[in-house]
């Protein structure tokens, strides 16, 4: 089976650089896949993307060595299994609030006996290879998002669930959960503290910790602290920021 | 009929700032439309976009005041009429090589008696208003691309075609036509000379001149010279450039 | 944030006129949006519409002042959050049977601390404006459908759930639930009685009550009784009815 | 091969009642196909429809006995052959201006030796049956639209082209061509005269004459005059008209 | 209402031959529908298919007499109701583990009073006929997949749920559940035993039993044993197998 | 630039094995791309495929080493340039009837000074690499289809057009053109003779000759004769044949 480059990176003690896809287009996904990211996550939760578009995006990413991933809309076995069957090598699940939630994530992303994933890895076989069934459980990665008050309170239990690979922090939701402004990098002190706490606990349990960032500078600081999976910005944000800069320069240059 | 903001800008003697859309997605188009461009051109020629995607993109642009435009794949009456019927307020036609070509462009984009556009402005009525039929000929803009040796040679004839509104320069094709490297801003001397020639002749004939640019700096210089319609970069290029910068910063920051 | 015209109408004591979209097409949605409805609801439950089509339809509606809404397929947090993120200003949730159901509806449609909606209003920001996060909870409307025996039995509890904005009656399902023929306007007596009961209770709790209708005549009667949100027919039904009339006239006129 | 119901109707001396599809959706097409039309024409010219949507619409129509037809965007062999291969049983070609144009229409829609249609009736075989190749030339119908000054001037020549089956009048374009207001039913006198002329000439040459109408009343009058193929309104127009009536009734009923 | 050919076949004591669709395309579905299958199942679980594609596929199948079916991704009322509303005449639900699961399946696929299916059979009316509401409960078939350890353990309870029509065995999942290799036809002895057990119990309860097969030979053996619904291979598998054979022959023939 | 495997195969004197794609789906294209074909041709002429679907199919093929190709609907510069920009490495153009036609093919597929292809290889850069512009003319292959009486008559002239890479025979159209039954492998004697003639002339002019086949056996015989590019069957045909065999076996096995 094609190895998961994320696990290879983690095996060398390094951090993976993840891009984010909110535009439902195979062409923009392929363009992003040529920019050097270690992995790209198709966002089926807050991105404007559904399953059929996601499949086209996985195919587009698969023209390169970048690892195809998905964030699913919710803790729902159906869609978690569908994105894996379509060739995603990692799944990020939002708002994991309890050990029970984490168990359902594991159950949905690992084959028996570890989990209860239903068998039928249709595009997974094309992307991963004919021995996908034997190696999928050790290859595919499941991230539990810790971004609610309940998720924080039950963190130890969540991290103790067998088969859970990693946690991922959504700073905006975590901020709202703690009564703070929803933002990525410059979070309020209670959020900063919670992030440190999650990272420390993940390390304790030998789990990978990942986090969403607005800028590469913030992401580099996160890596220094010990995060091993950092997302920076998104396709739509990078495009919009570039466009705003261009238009701003044009307006400034023609305003006299 | 909803006025064409391009004509309003030109009426005040100013230049219009045009963005470019190569990603076949209504969501990326809408995101671009919120960044302040005067107009946005859906590129059905070199963009990865066909008609059905273009319609969704026109709708997305129409949620804002940005003018929806299209570049068509070729000098073909069918597609020119279809994008106008779908609500485009301007059409850019590639590789207009002769007065005959320019006449076909006019014929395809203006109703009789000026032209021969077929009647059925289905989404044009929704976007432009119920009086679209009366005002379309004075509202819609047709750009003839001058980007071949023949186009240069026949420039006077092309500019003399009644009903032609504007010309648009594709520096890459023009460069290739003149035996130079295909590029946007830093064109070779023969291309620079040809661009100046086209601009001068367009002014002589009272036609708007537009041009494709890679950077805002180049576009500002073009405006200073007298261009009244400048395109800068594209959705996919801005996204890719942003991503490359982010990944570059991340690799630099983690390479020790 | 762009105000929700539904709330403005309700603020003046009037009723909103809602259209219904079952055809998965941005073009038919835009055409409907130009006919004067106060709001248009994309039906992801019984309409032939999924999320990706719904986004295109929201964009199409957003070219006008008509309020974009969605009925979701089921009481599922994932899809409720996704349609809101895509810019819907109201969500209708089918078959709310208990206070617990209503709480999940509120949790899925309101940000903390009122609810548990996950943060990432990607197209909501484009449609609503940059201050969407601050005002979304007071702008977006959540309708709980009362259309089952359990929903009737638990009506008081449902209406007492904090953050619930409105109820919506599906006469067909309510009829089936009460052992009657599934229909819209000419419901059987037990259904008529249940509808009156729901309306009275909603008023008592200061909640808006809405209802589905087949004809404008029935809808006007509903408004007179106190309903403040009435749906009439649908895109597909109006088209089919028009076509049947045309074909009928033609067959009658040519049958001799 | 499945017979063409249009030819069967014409064989009994009757007129066919044709509906018109401008919405790019298989569901709206199927809904229309259940309303009793003899044939339904997917409008790839002024409808918001491209080829891929048209195929889905042909499939939808093929769930009933209604004859699937297409109007193509322009006199282009590629698209004429593609819609036939996809199972259309008739093609309407806009703006046929000369015998040469009519010959290209015949060449594009009939197999050798009569024409030059390329062989590969992929969905035609599914829809028409395994003997499609033998009978296609006698089954498929080609309509030449007469709607320009040149078309009028060259009418005799056009009608004399071997293999041409029928003509179709676009009253709006014909009106514009004659310097009149673009409209369907209540055309100006010069247009009325031209229509009578086309009908008379078609009869002389033994060709079927068809025409576009806004209302069934106008269509019935056309049939009385001798037209054998009448289109009335369209999916989008019928839907919009129904919606306008509903909203008008609601506004009138709530305006006090 | 159009009768369900599956029930007609079962009424004569015979077995139905079912094809399987994993390619999200109306054209491949229509091509398959012309090959003589009794029914075709659109696989929304392990196929690369979502709801919008499934609707197009149901339409394509509906151009023939083949029965349109769907396997849903998970035991979720929303999607089960949506595929039925779109005209599916049978639903296969994966991983039914308990009587409670089976009850939810029945509740989602049958109207009150038997179940709780929400009313709005939009395309069901087109496909089935105007009397769909009265006959749907007796026409539509619901299959509970027995393919987990829990499903086996609770088989009697599941089969005792009123309104359940049939069970369907997924040999791969059942194999994994029993610690065996995931495969279709040549299952390991514990799986073979479990399959016999399920079949025997289904017969006892007067329920139809169906099963997935890789080859017609295996399917024929299953029919002999008493299975009344057999699936063989899939669109993608048949295509791939054919292609492998062709390429193999070509490589062998050109390798000298 | 990524080399064109077709040219590599031809450089070693061997024949390339080409598959054919008529189903408009990225998933079926990717499945085909894993079966060992040297190249796969997306058929935009007789396949049920348009440009937007073709792009998804090119992306799917690009996940493997198989060469992505396209057959265009007609000799139209717009679509030939669009498929190349989208990453096709070869274009097959139907019904090339004269040297003038062949020159237009070359003009549309090669950059100046050899041709007149417009510059903007958007996905070509992603697939081929950053040096695409320099090497495209020597990498991309253009096939002129010889399949009409005129094509036969003008064969010498066509083969003499500078820049033409190859010819491709469509046996069905060629058969019709010569008054014979349209078929692939078992062509009538006049067609067999014409095929031999084309092959001999292509060899004389040092051009590659390719041909469409129904079976591998026929294709092997063609290779032995000197054809260097053979297509065998298609995705839809292989799927349908496999399905027919399965259903036939099932009917035979259950007919007693
Ligand atoms: Mg979050
Ligand atoms: Mg150019
Ligand atoms: Mg309901
Ligand atoms: Mg016309
Ligand atoms: Mg299974
Ligand atoms: Mg051919």
């Amino acid at each position: 089976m094609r190895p998961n480059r994320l696990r290879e990176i983690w095996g060398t003690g390094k951090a993976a650089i993840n891009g984010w896809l909110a535009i439902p287009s195979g062409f923009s996904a392929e363009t992003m896949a040529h920019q050097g990211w270690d992995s790209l996550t198709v966002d089926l939760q807050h991105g404007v993307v559904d399953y059929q578009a996601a499949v086209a995006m996985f195919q587009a990413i698969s023209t390169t060595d970048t690892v195809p991933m998905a964030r699913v809309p919710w803790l729902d076995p159906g869609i978690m299994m569908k994105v894996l069957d379509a060739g995603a090598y990692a799944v990020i699940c939002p708002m994991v609030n309890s050990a029970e939630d984490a168990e359902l994530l594991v159950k949905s992303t690992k084959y028996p006996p570890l989990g209860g994933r239903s068998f039928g890895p249709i595009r997974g076989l094309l992307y991963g290879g004919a021995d996908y069934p034997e190696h999928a459980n050790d290859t595919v990665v499941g991230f539990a998002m810790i971004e609610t008050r309940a998720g924080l309170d039950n963190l130890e239990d969540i991290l103790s669930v067998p088969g859970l690979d990693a946690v991922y922090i959504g700073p905006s939701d975590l901020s709202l959960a703690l009564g703070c402004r929803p933002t990525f990098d410059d979070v309020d002190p209670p959020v900063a503290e919670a992030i440190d706490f999650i990272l420390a606990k993940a390390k304790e349990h030998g789990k990978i910790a990942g986090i969403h960032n607005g800028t590469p500078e913030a992401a580099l600081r996160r890596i220094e602290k010990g995060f091993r999976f950092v997302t920076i910005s998104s396709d739509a944000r990078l495009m919009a920021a570039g466009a705003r800069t261009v238009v701003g320069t044009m307006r400034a240059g023609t305003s006299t």
Side-chain angles (χ1 to χ4, degrees), chain A residues 141-175:
Chain A
V141 174
F143 286 87
M145 289 195 76
I146 307 298
E147 50 178 352
T148 58
R149 167 57 71 187
L152 272 181
D153 290 348
N154 301 319
L155 185 56
E156 291 273 7
D157 292 352
I158 291 169
L159 288 165
S160 305
V161 167
L164 184 74
D165 299 301
V167 293
Y168 187 72
I169 299 176
S172 296
D173 272 323
L174 190 59
S175 295

mmCIF file of all heavy atoms in Angstrom, chain A residues 141-175:
data_model
loop_
_atom_site.group_PDB
_atom_site.id
_atom_site.type_symbol
_atom_site.label_atom_id
_atom_site.label_comp_id
_atom_site.label_asym_id
_atom_site.label_seq_id
_atom_site.Cartn_x
_atom_site.Cartn_y
_atom_site.Cartn_z
ATOM 1 N N VAL A 141 -5.141 8.014 8.947
ATOM 2 C CA VAL A 141 -5.032 8.738 10.212
ATOM 3 C C VAL A 141 -6.375 9.375 10.551
ATOM 4 O O VAL A 141 -7.020 9.968 9.687
ATOM 5 C CB VAL A 141 -3.959 9.854 10.115
ATOM 6 C CG1 VAL A 141 -3.949 10.709 11.384
ATOM 7 C CG2 VAL A 141 -2.592 9.246 9.868
ATOM 8 N N GLY A 142 -6.772 9.258 11.797
ATOM 9 C CA GLY A 142 -7.990 9.920 12.269
ATOM 10 C C GLY A 142 -7.648 10.999 13.284
ATOM 11 O O GLY A 142 -6.976 10.718 14.280
ATOM 12 N N PHE A 143 -8.094 12.224 13.007
ATOM 13 C CA PHE A 143 -7.888 13.343 13.923
ATOM 14 C C PHE A 143 -9.203 13.663 14.650
ATOM 15 O O PHE A 143 -10.226 13.897 13.978
ATOM 16 C CB PHE A 143 -7.506 14.621 13.156
ATOM 17 C CG PHE A 143 -6.122 14.693 12.607
ATOM 18 C CD1 PHE A 143 -5.827 14.182 11.347
ATOM 19 C CD2 PHE A 143 -5.109 15.327 13.323
ATOM 20 C CE1 PHE A 143 -4.550 14.283 10.811
ATOM 21 C CE2 PHE A 143 -3.828 15.434 12.786
ATOM 22 C CZ PHE A 143 -3.542 14.907 11.534
ATOM 23 N N ALA A 144 -9.157 13.751 15.947
ATOM 24 C CA ALA A 144 -10.315 14.216 16.714
ATOM 25 C C ALA A 144 -10.129 15.698 17.009
ATOM 26 O O ALA A 144 -9.126 16.090 17.615
ATOM 27 C CB ALA A 144 -10.424 13.435 18.020
ATOM 28 N N MET A 145 -11.094 16.510 16.573
ATOM 29 C CA MET A 145 -10.961 17.939 16.876
ATOM 30 C C MET A 145 -11.352 18.203 18.327
ATOM 31 O O MET A 145 -12.414 17.786 18.784
ATOM 32 C CB MET A 145 -11.814 18.784 15.928
ATOM 33 C CG MET A 145 -11.244 18.796 14.516
ATOM 34 S SD MET A 145 -11.951 20.123 13.472
ATOM 35 C CE MET A 145 -11.090 21.567 14.114
ATOM 36 N N ILE A 146 -10.479 18.907 19.022
ATOM 37 C CA ILE A 146 -10.757 19.334 20.388
ATOM 38 C C ILE A 146 -11.019 20.832 20.298
ATOM 39 O O ILE A 146 -10.097 21.624 20.047
ATOM 40 C CB ILE A 146 -9.558 19.036 21.313
ATOM 41 C CG1 ILE A 146 -9.132 17.568 21.197
ATOM 42 C CG2 ILE A 146 -9.882 19.426 22.759
ATOM 43 C CD1 ILE A 146 -10.177 16.561 21.612
ATOM 44 N N GLU A 147 -12.272 21.203 20.460
ATOM 45 C CA GLU A 147 -12.622 22.613 20.216
ATOM 46 C C GLU A 147 -13.882 23.036 20.957
ATOM 47 O O GLU A 147 -14.485 24.053 20.620
ATOM 48 C CB GLU A 147 -12.786 22.851 18.713
ATOM 49 C CG GLU A 147 -13.691 21.850 18.015
ATOM 50 C CD GLU A 147 -13.879 22.147 16.513
ATOM 51 O OE1 GLU A 147 -13.434 23.202 16.037
ATOM 52 O OE2 GLU A 147 -14.480 21.309 15.823
ATOM 53 N N THR A 148 -14.263 22.236 21.949
ATOM 54 C CA THR A 148 -15.434 22.582 22.765
ATOM 55 C C THR A 148 -15.048 22.483 24.241
ATOM 56 O O THR A 148 -14.016 21.896 24.595
ATOM 57 C CB THR A 148 -16.595 21.608 22.505
ATOM 58 O OG1 THR A 148 -16.135 20.280 22.808
ATOM 59 C CG2 THR A 148 -17.038 21.660 21.046
ATOM 60 N N ARG A 149 -15.904 23.034 25.067
ATOM 61 C CA ARG A 149 -15.707 22.921 26.519
ATOM 62 C C ARG A 149 -15.727 21.452 26.922
ATOM 63 O O ARG A 149 -14.858 20.992 27.679
ATOM 64 C CB ARG A 149 -16.832 23.720 27.204
ATOM 65 C CG ARG A 149 -16.997 23.503 28.682
ATOM 66 C CD ARG A 149 -15.758 23.784 29.487
ATOM 67 N NE ARG A 149 -15.402 25.200 29.593
ATOM 68 C CZ ARG A 149 -14.279 25.640 30.140
ATOM 69 N NH1 ARG A 149 -13.376 24.770 30.617
ATOM 70 N NH2 ARG A 149 -14.009 26.928 30.204
ATOM 71 N N ALA A 150 -16.673 20.700 26.382
ATOM 72 C CA ALA A 150 -16.748 19.278 26.717
ATOM 73 C C ALA A 150 -15.507 18.538 26.241
ATOM 74 O O ALA A 150 -14.982 17.664 26.933
ATOM 75 C CB ALA A 150 -18.004 18.655 26.100
ATOM 76 N N GLY A 151 -15.028 18.876 25.082
ATOM 77 C CA GLY A 151 -13.823 18.239 24.564
ATOM 78 C C GLY A 151 -12.634 18.477 25.488
ATOM 79 O O GLY A 151 -11.817 17.564 25.728
ATOM 80 N N LEU A 152 -12.539 19.688 25.992
ATOM 81 C CA LEU A 152 -11.466 20.002 26.948
ATOM 82 C C LEU A 152 -11.636 19.202 28.234
ATOM 83 O O LEU A 152 -10.668 18.614 28.754
ATOM 84 C CB LEU A 152 -11.505 21.492 27.297
ATOM 85 C CG LEU A 152 -10.731 22.465 26.432
ATOM 86 C CD1 LEU A 152 -10.881 23.880 26.974
ATOM 87 C CD2 LEU A 152 -9.251 22.075 26.363
ATOM 88 N N ASP A 153 -12.860 19.195 28.745
ATOM 89 C CA ASP A 153 -13.117 18.526 30.026
ATOM 90 C C ASP A 153 -12.830 17.028 29.936
ATOM 91 O O ASP A 153 -12.374 16.423 30.906
ATOM 92 C CB ASP A 153 -14.592 18.734 30.428
ATOM 93 C CG ASP A 153 -14.865 20.185 30.811
ATOM 94 O OD1 ASP A 153 -13.896 20.959 30.988
ATOM 95 O OD2 ASP A 153 -16.043 20.557 30.923
ATOM 96 N N ASN A 154 -13.114 16.449 28.788
ATOM 97 C CA ASN A 154 -12.960 14.998 28.628
ATOM 98 C C ASN A 154 -11.689 14.619 27.876
ATOM 99 O O ASN A 154 -11.595 13.516 27.337
ATOM 100 C CB ASN A 154 -14.176 14.435 27.886
ATOM 101 C CG ASN A 154 -15.466 14.715 28.624
ATOM 102 O OD1 ASN A 154 -15.513 14.603 29.855
ATOM 103 N ND2 ASN A 154 -16.512 15.086 27.890
ATOM 104 N N LEU A 155 -10.734 15.520 27.860
ATOM 105 C CA LEU A 155 -9.554 15.316 27.023
ATOM 106 C C LEU A 155 -8.808 14.028 27.358
ATOM 107 O O LEU A 155 -8.438 13.260 26.468
ATOM 108 C CB LEU A 155 -8.616 16.526 27.136
ATOM 109 C CG LEU A 155 -7.399 16.507 26.228
ATOM 110 C CD1 LEU A 155 -7.793 16.366 24.766
ATOM 111 C CD2 LEU A 155 -6.574 17.769 26.431
ATOM 112 N N GLU A 156 -8.603 13.788 28.638
ATOM 113 C CA GLU A 156 -7.880 12.566 29.030
ATOM 114 C C GLU A 156 -8.595 11.322 28.513
ATOM 115 O O GLU A 156 -7.970 10.414 27.960
ATOM 116 C CB GLU A 156 -7.786 12.488 30.562
ATOM 117 C CG GLU A 156 -6.888 13.518 31.195
ATOM 118 C CD GLU A 156 -5.419 13.069 31.273
ATOM 119 O OE1 GLU A 156 -5.071 11.997 30.718
ATOM 120 O OE2 GLU A 156 -4.626 13.810 31.870
ATOM 121 N N ASP A 157 -9.884 11.300 28.685
ATOM 122 C CA ASP A 157 -10.655 10.139 28.223
ATOM 123 C C ASP A 157 -10.550 9.983 26.707
ATOM 124 O O ASP A 157 -10.408 8.866 26.194
ATOM 125 C CB ASP A 157 -12.137 10.293 28.604
ATOM 126 C CG ASP A 157 -12.349 10.215 30.103
ATOM 127 O OD1 ASP A 157 -11.381 9.888 30.824
ATOM 128 O OD2 ASP A 157 -13.469 10.501 30.548
ATOM 129 N N ILE A 158 -10.669 11.095 26.022
ATOM 130 C CA ILE A 158 -10.589 11.046 24.557
ATOM 131 C C ILE A 158 -9.233 10.500 24.123
ATOM 132 O O ILE A 158 -9.146 9.612 23.263
ATOM 133 C CB ILE A 158 -10.821 12.457 23.971
ATOM 134 C CG1 ILE A 158 -12.286 12.882 24.185
ATOM 135 C CG2 ILE A 158 -10.458 12.503 22.494
ATOM 136 C CD1 ILE A 158 -12.571 14.348 23.880
ATOM 137 N N LEU A 159 -8.179 11.019 24.742
ATOM 138 C CA LEU A 159 -6.823 10.601 24.357
ATOM 139 C C LEU A 159 -6.539 9.152 24.726
ATOM 140 O O LEU A 159 -5.599 8.545 24.195
ATOM 141 C CB LEU A 159 -5.787 11.524 25.010
ATOM 142 C CG LEU A 159 -5.740 12.942 24.405
ATOM 143 C CD1 LEU A 159 -4.972 13.888 25.328
ATOM 144 C CD2 LEU A 159 -5.100 12.913 23.024
ATOM 145 N N SER A 160 -7.341 8.619 25.599
ATOM 146 C CA SER A 160 -7.129 7.223 26.009
ATOM 147 C C SER A 160 -7.848 6.212 25.130
ATOM 148 O O SER A 160 -7.703 5.008 25.336
ATOM 149 C CB SER A 160 -7.614 7.053 27.464
ATOM 150 O OG SER A 160 -6.975 7.988 28.310
ATOM 151 N N VAL A 161 -8.617 6.688 24.195
ATOM 152 C CA VAL A 161 -9.357 5.757 23.333
ATOM 153 C C VAL A 161 -8.392 5.011 22.408
ATOM 154 O O VAL A 161 -7.652 5.643 21.649
ATOM 155 C CB VAL A 161 -10.420 6.512 22.510
ATOM 156 C CG1 VAL A 161 -10.973 5.642 21.398
ATOM 157 C CG2 VAL A 161 -11.528 7.021 23.424
ATOM 158 N N PRO A 162 -8.382 3.680 22.456
ATOM 159 C CA PRO A 162 -7.469 2.906 21.597
ATOM 160 C C PRO A 162 -7.777 3.142 20.113
ATOM 161 O O PRO A 162 -8.943 3.133 19.720
ATOM 162 C CB PRO A 162 -7.779 1.449 21.975
ATOM 163 C CG PRO A 162 -8.518 1.506 23.264
ATOM 164 C CD PRO A 162 -9.223 2.822 23.306
ATOM 165 N N GLY A 163 -6.725 3.337 19.344
ATOM 166 C CA GLY A 163 -6.899 3.503 17.909
ATOM 167 C C GLY A 163 -6.978 4.954 17.480
ATOM 168 O O GLY A 163 -6.894 5.247 16.289
ATOM 169 N N LEU A 164 -7.143 5.870 18.433
ATOM 170 C CA LEU A 164 -7.138 7.279 18.067
ATOM 171 C C LEU A 164 -5.714 7.688 17.718
ATOM 172 O O LEU A 164 -4.777 7.405 18.467
ATOM 173 C CB LEU A 164 -7.664 8.147 19.214
ATOM 174 C CG LEU A 164 -7.777 9.631 18.843
ATOM 175 C CD1 LEU A 164 -8.977 9.843 17.930
ATOM 176 C CD2 LEU A 164 -7.921 10.503 20.097
ATOM 177 N N ASP A 165 -5.531 8.366 16.571
ATOM 178 C CA ASP A 165 -4.185 8.689 16.117
ATOM 179 C C ASP A 165 -3.731 10.080 16.533
ATOM 180 O O ASP A 165 -2.554 10.285 16.829
ATOM 181 C CB ASP A 165 -4.124 8.613 14.581
ATOM 182 C CG ASP A 165 -4.439 7.241 14.048
ATOM 183 O OD1 ASP A 165 -3.725 6.288 14.413
ATOM 184 O OD2 ASP A 165 -5.403 7.112 13.287
ATOM 185 N N ALA A 166 -4.656 11.041 16.513
ATOM 186 C CA ALA A 166 -4.209 12.420 16.626
ATOM 187 C C ALA A 166 -5.355 13.319 17.053
ATOM 188 O O ALA A 166 -6.525 12.940 16.961
ATOM 189 C CB ALA A 166 -3.671 12.891 15.271
ATOM 190 N N VAL A 167 -4.983 14.504 17.547
ATOM 191 C CA VAL A 167 -5.999 15.526 17.838
ATOM 192 C C VAL A 167 -5.689 16.760 16.998
ATOM 193 O O VAL A 167 -4.562 16.962 16.552
ATOM 194 C CB VAL A 167 -6.035 15.905 19.340
ATOM 195 C CG1 VAL A 167 -6.531 14.734 20.168
ATOM 196 C CG2 VAL A 167 -4.675 16.396 19.810
ATOM 197 N N TYR A 168 -6.722 17.546 16.777
ATOM 198 C CA TYR A 168 -6.570 18.740 15.952
ATOM 199 C C TYR A 168 -7.369 19.850 16.616
ATOM 200 O O TYR A 168 -8.506 19.635 17.045
ATOM 201 C CB TYR A 168 -7.098 18.464 14.546
ATOM 202 C CG TYR A 168 -6.856 19.571 13.550
ATOM 203 C CD1 TYR A 168 -5.575 19.831 13.050
ATOM 204 C CD2 TYR A 168 -7.911 20.358 13.099
ATOM 205 C CE1 TYR A 168 -5.363 20.844 12.125
ATOM 206 C CE2 TYR A 168 -7.701 21.373 12.165
ATOM 207 C CZ TYR A 168 -6.419 21.609 11.681
ATOM 208 O OH TYR A 168 -6.213 22.607 10.766
ATOM 209 N N ILE A 169 -6.733 21.021 16.714
ATOM 210 C CA ILE A 169 -7.374 22.134 17.412
ATOM 211 C C ILE A 169 -7.942 23.136 16.415
ATOM 212 O O ILE A 169 -7.239 23.579 15.501
ATOM 213 C CB ILE A 169 -6.362 22.836 18.343
ATOM 214 C CG1 ILE A 169 -5.854 21.847 19.396
ATOM 215 C CG2 ILE A 169 -7.000 24.052 19.008
ATOM 216 C CD1 ILE A 169 -4.774 22.407 20.300
ATOM 217 N N GLY A 170 -9.212 23.476 16.607
ATOM 218 C CA GLY A 170 -9.843 24.556 15.870
ATOM 219 C C GLY A 170 -9.898 25.771 16.778
ATOM 220 O O GLY A 170 -10.782 25.852 17.624
ATOM 221 N N PRO A 171 -8.962 26.720 16.618
ATOM 222 C CA PRO A 171 -8.880 27.839 17.562
ATOM 223 C C PRO A 171 -10.149 28.698 17.597
ATOM 224 O O PRO A 171 -10.493 29.236 18.658
ATOM 225 C CB PRO A 171 -7.684 28.656 17.056
ATOM 226 C CG PRO A 171 -6.861 27.687 16.273
ATOM 227 C CD PRO A 171 -7.856 26.765 15.643
ATOM 228 N N SER A 172 -10.848 28.827 16.475
ATOM 229 C CA SER A 172 -12.046 29.674 16.469
ATOM 230 C C SER A 172 -13.146 29.083 17.340
ATOM 231 O O SER A 172 -13.723 29.770 18.183
ATOM 232 C CB SER A 172 -12.564 29.844 15.038
ATOM 233 O OG SER A 172 -11.627 30.517 14.247
ATOM 234 N N ASP A 173 -13.451 27.823 17.114
ATOM 235 C CA ASP A 173 -14.494 27.207 17.921
ATOM 236 C C ASP A 173 -14.085 27.137 19.388
ATOM 237 O O ASP A 173 -14.906 27.379 20.275
ATOM 238 C CB ASP A 173 -14.813 25.809 17.378
ATOM 239 C CG ASP A 173 -15.882 25.852 16.296
ATOM 240 O OD1 ASP A 173 -16.803 26.673 16.429
ATOM 241 O OD2 ASP A 173 -15.793 25.080 15.341
ATOM 242 N N LEU A 174 -12.827 26.816 19.612
ATOM 243 C CA LEU A 174 -12.352 26.750 21.003
ATOM 244 C C LEU A 174 -12.501 28.116 21.670
ATOM 245 O O LEU A 174 -12.901 28.210 22.844
ATOM 246 C CB LEU A 174 -10.885 26.295 21.011
ATOM 247 C CG LEU A 174 -10.281 25.940 22.371
ATOM 248 C CD1 LEU A 174 -11.066 24.820 23.040
ATOM 249 C CD2 LEU A 174 -8.821 25.518 22.203
ATOM 250 N N SER A 175 -12.218 29.172 20.927
ATOM 251 C CA SER A 175 -12.371 30.521 21.467
ATOM 252 C C SER A 175 -13.825 30.804 21.832
ATOM 253 O O SER A 175 -14.125 31.265 22.932
ATOM 254 C CB SER A 175 -11.893 31.552 20.427
ATOM 255 O OG SER A 175 -10.505 31.413 20.187
#
